[in-house]
PDB file of all heavy atoms in Angstrom:
ATOM      1  N   GLN A 439     -35.346  33.546  23.691  1.00 84.00           N
ATOM      2  CA  GLN A 439     -34.971  33.945  25.041  1.00 84.00           C
ATOM      3  C   GLN A 439     -33.703  33.196  25.427  1.00 84.00           C
ATOM      4  O   GLN A 439     -33.705  32.358  26.322  1.00 84.00           O
ATOM      5  CB  GLN A 439     -36.121  33.671  26.023  1.00 84.00           C
ATOM      6  CG  GLN A 439     -37.327  34.556  25.762  1.00 84.00           C
ATOM      7  CD  GLN A 439     -38.041  34.207  24.461  1.00 84.00           C
ATOM      8  OE1 GLN A 439     -38.303  33.043  24.181  1.00 84.00           O
ATOM      9  NE2 GLN A 439     -38.343  35.225  23.655  1.00 84.00           N
ATOM     10  N   HIS A 440     -32.636  33.498  24.702  1.00 85.00           N
ATOM     11  CA  HIS A 440     -31.394  32.773  24.901  1.00 85.00           C
ATOM     12  C   HIS A 440     -30.189  33.669  24.917  1.00 85.00           C
ATOM     13  O   HIS A 440     -30.241  34.811  24.479  1.00 85.00           O
ATOM     14  CB  HIS A 440     -31.244  31.693  23.827  1.00 85.00           C
ATOM     15  CG  HIS A 440     -31.853  30.431  24.309  1.00 85.00           C
ATOM     16  ND1 HIS A 440     -31.192  29.606  25.162  1.00 85.00           N
ATOM     17  CD2 HIS A 440     -33.077  29.935  24.131  1.00 85.00           C
ATOM     18  CE1 HIS A 440     -32.009  28.611  25.482  1.00 85.00           C
ATOM     19  NE2 HIS A 440     -33.146  28.785  24.872  1.00 85.00           N
ATOM     20  N   TYR A 441     -29.109  33.121  25.429  1.00 88.00           N
ATOM     21  CA  TYR A 441     -27.892  33.899  25.530  1.00 88.00           C
ATOM     22  C   TYR A 441     -27.051  33.807  24.263  1.00 88.00           C
ATOM     23  O   TYR A 441     -26.502  34.788  23.792  1.00 88.00           O
ATOM     24  CB  TYR A 441     -27.075  33.435  26.733  1.00 88.00           C
ATOM     25  CG  TYR A 441     -25.689  34.040  26.743  1.00 88.00           C
ATOM     26  CD1 TYR A 441     -25.529  35.389  27.071  1.00 88.00           C
ATOM     27  CD2 TYR A 441     -24.576  33.298  26.377  1.00 88.00           C
ATOM     28  CE1 TYR A 441     -24.268  35.974  27.040  1.00 88.00           C
ATOM     29  CE2 TYR A 441     -23.324  33.876  26.356  1.00 88.00           C
ATOM     30  CZ  TYR A 441     -23.171  35.209  26.680  1.00 88.00           C
ATOM     31  OH  TYR A 441     -21.948  35.781  26.646  1.00 88.00           O
ATOM     32  N   TRP A 442     -26.969  32.610  23.710  1.00 92.00           N
ATOM     33  CA  TRP A 442     -25.998  32.390  22.628  1.00 92.00           C
ATOM     34  C   TRP A 442     -26.624  32.668  21.261  1.00 92.00           C
ATOM     35  O   TRP A 442     -26.881  31.769  20.464  1.00 92.00           O
ATOM     36  CB  TRP A 442     -25.427  30.982  22.740  1.00 92.00           C
ATOM     37  CG  TRP A 442     -24.185  30.729  21.941  1.00 92.00           C
ATOM     38  CD1 TRP A 442     -23.957  29.673  21.113  1.00 92.00           C
ATOM     39  CD2 TRP A 442     -22.994  31.532  21.889  1.00 92.00           C
ATOM     40  NE1 TRP A 442     -22.719  29.764  20.547  1.00 92.00           N
ATOM     41  CE2 TRP A 442     -22.087  30.899  21.011  1.00 92.00           C
ATOM     42  CE3 TRP A 442     -22.588  32.727  22.491  1.00 92.00           C
ATOM     43  CZ2 TRP A 442     -20.833  31.409  20.719  1.00 92.00           C
ATOM     44  CZ3 TRP A 442     -21.338  33.233  22.198  1.00 92.00           C
ATOM     45  CH2 TRP A 442     -20.475  32.579  21.331  1.00 92.00           C
ATOM     46  N   GLY A 443     -26.907  33.952  21.046  1.00 95.00           N
ATOM     47  CA  GLY A 443     -27.486  34.408  19.782  1.00 95.00           C
ATOM     48  C   GLY A 443     -27.164  35.882  19.619  1.00 95.00           C
ATOM     49  O   GLY A 443     -26.666  36.523  20.555  1.00 95.00           O
ATOM     50  N   GLU A 444     -27.469  36.427  18.452  1.00 97.00           N
ATOM     51  CA  GLU A 444     -27.185  37.839  18.212  1.00 97.00           C
ATOM     52  C   GLU A 444     -28.166  38.692  19.016  1.00 97.00           C
ATOM     53  O   GLU A 444     -29.375  38.531  18.851  1.00 97.00           O
ATOM     54  CB  GLU A 444     -27.358  38.200  16.733  1.00 97.00           C
ATOM     55  CG  GLU A 444     -26.519  37.403  15.756  1.00 97.00           C
ATOM     56  CD  GLU A 444     -27.169  36.104  15.297  1.00 97.00           C
ATOM     57  OE1 GLU A 444     -28.128  35.647  15.949  1.00 97.00           O
ATOM     58  OE2 GLU A 444     -26.701  35.546  14.280  1.00 97.00           O
ATOM     59  N   PRO A 445     -27.698  39.627  19.857  1.00 97.00           N
ATOM     60  CA  PRO A 445     -28.633  40.524  20.531  1.00 97.00           C
ATOM     61  C   PRO A 445     -29.412  41.349  19.505  1.00 97.00           C
ATOM     62  O   PRO A 445     -28.842  41.806  18.517  1.00 97.00           O
ATOM     63  CB  PRO A 445     -27.727  41.430  21.366  1.00 97.00           C
ATOM     64  CG  PRO A 445     -26.463  40.655  21.543  1.00 97.00           C
ATOM     65  CD  PRO A 445     -26.305  39.840  20.292  1.00 97.00           C
ATOM     66  N   ILE A 446     -30.694  41.494  19.742  1.00 98.00           N
ATOM     67  CA  ILE A 446     -31.515  42.321  18.851  1.00 98.00           C
ATOM     68  C   ILE A 446     -31.220  43.788  19.191  1.00 98.00           C
ATOM     69  O   ILE A 446     -31.374  44.206  20.332  1.00 98.00           O
ATOM     70  CB  ILE A 446     -33.006  41.958  19.023  1.00 98.00           C
ATOM     71  CG1 ILE A 446     -33.235  40.556  18.442  1.00 98.00           C
ATOM     72  CG2 ILE A 446     -33.899  42.996  18.338  1.00 98.00           C
ATOM     73  CD1 ILE A 446     -34.626  40.000  18.622  1.00 98.00           C
ATOM     74  N   PRO A 447     -30.775  44.583  18.221  1.00 98.00           N
ATOM     75  CA  PRO A 447     -30.232  45.917  18.513  1.00 98.00           C
ATOM     76  C   PRO A 447     -31.300  46.990  18.708  1.00 98.00           C
ATOM     77  O   PRO A 447     -31.416  47.915  17.912  1.00 98.00           O
ATOM     78  CB  PRO A 447     -29.367  46.208  17.286  1.00 98.00           C
ATOM     79  CG  PRO A 447     -30.042  45.464  16.178  1.00 98.00           C
ATOM     80  CD  PRO A 447     -30.651  44.234  16.787  1.00 98.00           C
ATOM     81  N   ILE A 448     -32.067  46.832  19.761  1.00 98.00           N
ATOM     82  CA  ILE A 448     -33.133  47.798  20.056  1.00 98.00           C
ATOM     83  C   ILE A 448     -33.006  48.192  21.527  1.00 98.00           C
ATOM     84  O   ILE A 448     -32.615  47.366  22.356  1.00 98.00           O
ATOM     85  CB  ILE A 448     -34.522  47.165  19.803  1.00 98.00           C
ATOM     86  CG1 ILE A 448     -34.695  46.764  18.331  1.00 98.00           C
ATOM     87  CG2 ILE A 448     -35.643  48.093  20.274  1.00 98.00           C
ATOM     88  CD1 ILE A 448     -34.955  47.898  17.357  1.00 98.00           C
ATOM     89  N   ILE A 449     -33.331  49.468  21.803  1.00 98.00           N
ATOM     90  CA  ILE A 449     -33.268  49.977  23.175  1.00 98.00           C
ATOM     91  C   ILE A 449     -34.646  50.523  23.542  1.00 98.00           C
ATOM     92  O   ILE A 449     -35.329  51.106  22.692  1.00 98.00           O
ATOM     93  CB  ILE A 449     -32.174  51.065  23.277  1.00 98.00           C
ATOM     94  CG1 ILE A 449     -30.795  50.393  23.201  1.00 98.00           C
ATOM     95  CG2 ILE A 449     -32.318  51.887  24.564  1.00 98.00           C
ATOM     96  CD1 ILE A 449     -29.643  51.353  23.020  1.00 98.00           C
ATOM     97  N   PHE A 450     -35.058  50.296  24.798  1.00 97.00           N
ATOM     98  CA  PHE A 450     -36.354  50.807  25.245  1.00 97.00           C
ATOM     99  C   PHE A 450     -36.136  51.926  26.249  1.00 97.00           C
ATOM    100  O   PHE A 450     -35.437  51.757  27.249  1.00 97.00           O
ATOM    101  CB  PHE A 450     -37.190  49.695  25.867  1.00 97.00           C
ATOM    102  CG  PHE A 450     -37.455  48.577  24.912  1.00 97.00           C
ATOM    103  CD1 PHE A 450     -36.680  47.418  24.960  1.00 97.00           C
ATOM    104  CD2 PHE A 450     -38.436  48.678  23.945  1.00 97.00           C
ATOM    105  CE1 PHE A 450     -36.898  46.385  24.056  1.00 97.00           C
ATOM    106  CE2 PHE A 450     -38.657  47.661  23.038  1.00 97.00           C
ATOM    107  CZ  PHE A 450     -37.891  46.505  23.094  1.00 97.00           C
ATOM    108  N   CYS A 451     -36.746  53.081  25.931  1.00 96.00           N
ATOM    109  CA  CYS A 451     -36.605  54.249  26.792  1.00 96.00           C
ATOM    110  C   CYS A 451     -38.010  54.617  27.253  1.00 96.00           C
ATOM    111  O   CYS A 451     -38.956  54.510  26.485  1.00 96.00           O
ATOM    112  CB  CYS A 451     -35.990  55.378  25.969  1.00 96.00           C
ATOM    113  SG  CYS A 451     -36.220  57.008  26.665  1.00 96.00           S
ATOM    114  N   ASP A 452     -38.146  55.020  28.519  1.00 93.00           N
ATOM    115  CA  ASP A 452     -39.472  55.368  29.036  1.00 93.00           C
ATOM    116  C   ASP A 452     -40.099  56.480  28.209  1.00 93.00           C
ATOM    117  O   ASP A 452     -41.293  56.498  27.969  1.00 93.00           O
ATOM    118  CB  ASP A 452     -39.373  55.826  30.500  1.00 93.00           C
ATOM    119  CG  ASP A 452     -39.132  54.627  31.411  1.00 93.00           C
ATOM    120  OD1 ASP A 452     -39.429  53.493  30.958  1.00 93.00           O
ATOM    121  OD2 ASP A 452     -38.631  54.814  32.534  1.00 93.00           O
ATOM    122  N   LYS A 453     -39.252  57.414  27.804  1.00 95.00           N
ATOM    123  CA  LYS A 453     -39.755  58.583  27.103  1.00 95.00           C
ATOM    124  C   LYS A 453     -39.911  58.338  25.601  1.00 95.00           C
ATOM    125  O   LYS A 453     -40.956  58.595  25.022  1.00 95.00           O
ATOM    126  CB  LYS A 453     -38.773  59.754  27.321  1.00 95.00           C
ATOM    127  CG  LYS A 453     -39.483  61.058  27.646  1.00 95.00           C
ATOM    128  CD  LYS A 453     -38.500  62.143  28.038  1.00 95.00           C
ATOM    129  CE  LYS A 453     -37.875  62.781  26.821  1.00 95.00           C
ATOM    130  NZ  LYS A 453     -36.653  63.547  27.144  1.00 95.00           N
TER     131      LYS A 453
END
Side-chain angles (χ1 to χ4, degrees):
Q439 293 69 47
H440 270 280
Y441 170 73
W442 195 229
E444 303 87 344
I446 290 176
I448 298 284
I449 288 169
F450 300 99
C451 161
D452 286 340
K453 224 172 81 197

